């Protein structure tokens, strides 16, 4: 299937799911995860109207972003190493994978000198999976977020998580609902926390994520094909 066809199909499915659970049309954005896919496929998606793209490696973004039109927006969704922060701040409009105070401070510092405010999401390890990155839901998260909210050159828009890696659909949905609940708790606890964005749901589970309040689904293989 062509990229355009797949995109149309996914957008239709997102819209159906949004309406099916009584949410407002257009309340879920699609981040097209283009990691390890050639530039031509991103351009094809762009021609079909897609503007939001997700990449997980700084080196790859460095090659792709300058070759895409200015209004293509790139979000970083992969683990970000300290030594890549400078370039990440240059090529990405949003960093969804912030998982430490140290990283947030580095981004803040860099953006200060670039005279730019970076949108960030805190990545949460919602299933407490030892193989996954992201914050555990614990005291460190609470004390870090308090400090991160005081930084002037980053804006914490919300949370990002990968759903439980299991077969059981109910358990997957459960993990998304835990993220939604955490977001509500954080909004209640911290005045400065905006928390308007919940980035959750991938090719295999975006319907469950939408049913659980996702505002952005990150879909790769269902649009661009499998990545080998
Ligand atoms: C690769 C990736 C995705 C997209 O995964 P698909 O299953 O191909 O849709 C979404 N989120 C993150 C963090 C990823 O690394």
């Amino acid at each position: 299937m062509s990229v355009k066809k797949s995109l149309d199909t996914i957008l239709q499915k997102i819209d159906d799911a949004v309406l099916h659970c009584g949410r407002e049309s257009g309340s879920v954005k699609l981040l097209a995860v283009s990691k390890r896919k050639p530039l031509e496929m991103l351009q094809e998606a762009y021609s079909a109207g897609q503007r939001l793209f997700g990449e997980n490696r700084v080196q790859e973004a460095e090659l792709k972003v300058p070759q895409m039109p200015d209004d293509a927006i790139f979000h970083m969704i992969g683990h970000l190493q300290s030594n890549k922060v400078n370039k990440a701040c240059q090529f990405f409009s949003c960093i969804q994978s912030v998982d430490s105070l140290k990283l947030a401070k580095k981004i803040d510092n860099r953006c200060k000198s670039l005279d730019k405010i970076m949108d960030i999401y805190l990545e949460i390890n919602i299933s407490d999976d030892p193989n996954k990155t992201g914050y555990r839901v614990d005291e460190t998260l609470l004390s870090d977020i308090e400090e991160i909210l005081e930084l002037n050159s980053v804006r914490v828009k919300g949370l990002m998580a990968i759903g439980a890696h299991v077969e059981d659909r109910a358990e997957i949905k459960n993990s998304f609902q835990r993220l939604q609940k955490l977001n509500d708790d954080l909004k209640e606890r911290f005045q400065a926390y905006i928390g308007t964005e919940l980035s959750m749901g991938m090719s295999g589970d975006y319907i469950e994520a939408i049913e659980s309040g996702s505002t952005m689904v990150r879909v790769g293989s269902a649009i661009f094909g499998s990545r080998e």
Side-chain angles (χ1 to χ4, degrees), residues 133-151:
T133 50
Y135 275 108
R136 301 291 166 98
V137 181
D138 60 15
E139 285 303 317
T140 307
L141 169 65
L142 295 179
S143 61
D144 278 17
I145 191 171
E146 193 155 23
E147 283 195 56
I148 294 171
L149 288 169
E150 284 171 7
L151 303 174

Side-chain angles (χ1 to χ4, degrees), residues 15 42 60 81 115 128 146 159 164 179 183 206 212:
D15 209 42
L42 281 74
E60 211 174 315
Q81 291 166 287
D115 200 20
D128 222 359
E146 193 155 23
L159 307 177
L179 191 75
N183 193 49
Y206 66 93
S212 311

Side-chain angles (χ1 to χ4, degrees), residues 101 104-105 108 112 120 142-156 190 192-193:
L101 177 59
K105 282 182 169 168
D108 181 66
K112 210 159 276 155
I120 64 170
L142 295 179
S143 61
D144 278 17
I145 191 171
E146 193 155 23
E147 283 195 56
I148 294 171
L149 288 169
E150 284 171 7
L151 303 174
N152 291 316
S153 300
V154 297
R155 184 166 41 210
V156 191
F190 302 104
Y193 177 62

Side-chain angles (χ1 to χ4, degrees), residues 117-184:
I117 292 178
M118 181 66 77
D119 287 340
I120 64 170
Y121 293 37
L122 300 183
E123 182 181 351
I124 308 293
N125 185 349
I126 203 66
S127 322
D128 222 359
D129 183 336
N131 300 314
K132 277 185 195 145
T133 50
Y135 275 108
R136 301 291 166 98
V137 181
D138 60 15
E139 285 303 317
T140 307
L141 169 65
L142 295 179
S143 61
D144 278 17
I145 191 171
E146 193 155 23
E147 283 195 56
I148 294 171
L149 288 169
E150 284 171 7
L151 303 174
N152 291 316
S153 300
V154 297
R155 184 166 41 210
V156 191
K157 303 262 289 191
L159 307 177
M160 184 268 264
I162 293 175
H165 194 66
V166 293
E167 290 295 320
D168 183 0
R169 307 315 290 180
E171 176 50 29
I172 294 171
K173 196 162 170 181
N174 217 301
S175 67
F176 291 138
Q177 285 169 346
R178 285 201 301 277
L179 191 75
Q180 185 181 39
K181 166 89 168 50
L182 173 66
N183 193 49
D184 289 342

Side-chain angles (χ1 to χ4, degrees), residues 33 35 56 77-78 160 162 201-204 218-222 227:
V33 176
K35 63 186 186 197
N56 69 339
I77 58 169
M160 184 268 264
I162 293 175
M202 312 188 353
S203 292
R218 308 180 306 270
V219 179
S221 46
R227 286 178 298 270

Side-chain angles (χ1 to χ4, degrees), residues 20 22 44 48 159:
H20 182 73
E44 202 181 332
L159 307 177

